[in-house]
Amino acid sequence: MSLERVFRHDEALFEFLWCPVCGTEAFTHIPFEGVFCTECNTSVTCRESPESRGYDEAVIITFDATTTWNLHVDEKLRRPLPDDEARVKILGAPGDYHVDWWAPTTTEDWTPVKRNEFADEPEPEEVSHLA
């Protein structure tokens, strides 16, 4: 018996994608378990959209925060999802993806974390006052 692995979505989709909880762009695939954000462990599920509006790809990504690590501790570095779930529809083709919509819609109460919003700032170089 052999196991055939089918990759439905191009790697370029995951290179475009970022986590709305912590802003990181890195994801890990655990066979038979799923795809997770490497920084906060938010679960990621992909499915084809029923309509593509003529784009090569139309994918709905669901982020589930029930598996997210330390959301209460790192609240300055993470933003909770409303009801622990958010979805985004991505349209386009490899190298030319864009976000069509977020659900729930972005409001004053919730906005997804921007790509690398909480990334470490580079440390300033030390300035020597000795001449």
Side-chain angles (χ1 to χ4, degrees):
M1 177 181 220
S2 67
L3 176 67
E4 180 182 344
R5 295 177 68 191
V6 176
F7 295 98
R8 291 187 174 171
H9 303 291
D10 194 284
E11 277 188 43
L13 177 66
F14 283 93
E15 290 172 4
F16 170 80
L17 197 60
W18 71 98
C19 177
V21 174
C22 69
T24 192
E25 298 173 285
F27 297 93
T28 300
H29 174 247
I30 301 172
F32 307 110
E33 294 292 328
V35 176
F36 299 89
C37 171
T38 57
E39 193 67 30
C40 70
N41 205 48
T42 296
S43 174
V44 181
T45 306
C46 303
R47 68 179 173 88
E48 298 295 322
S49 174
E51 55 92 17
S52 65
R53 290 194 235 150
Y55 287 94
D56 289 350
E57 288 187 64
V59 181
I60 296 176
I61 312 285
T62 302
F63 296 93
D64 184 348
T66 56
T67 59
T68 302
W69 295 323
N70 300 324
L71 197 54
H72 65 290
V73 174
D74 295 333
E75 57 190 38
K76 290 183 182 178
L77 300 177
R78 301 201 171 132
R79 189 169 299 141
L81 300 178
D83 297 322
D84 284 337
E85 186 176 287
R87 290 177 296 150
V88 62
K89 182 174 182 180
I90 297 175
L91 298 172
D96 188 31
Y97 288 113
H98 66 275
V99 171
D100 187 38
W101 51 255
W102 280 96
T105 57
T106 58
T107 65
E108 288 182 17
D109 296 331
W110 180 77
T111 302
V113 172
K114 294 180 181 100
R115 186 184 318 268
N116 295 318
E117 182 176 329
F118 299 131
D120 293 333
E121 296 290 325
E123 297 200 17
E125 294 181 28
E126 287 186 33
V127 177
S128 175
H129 296 288
L130 302 174

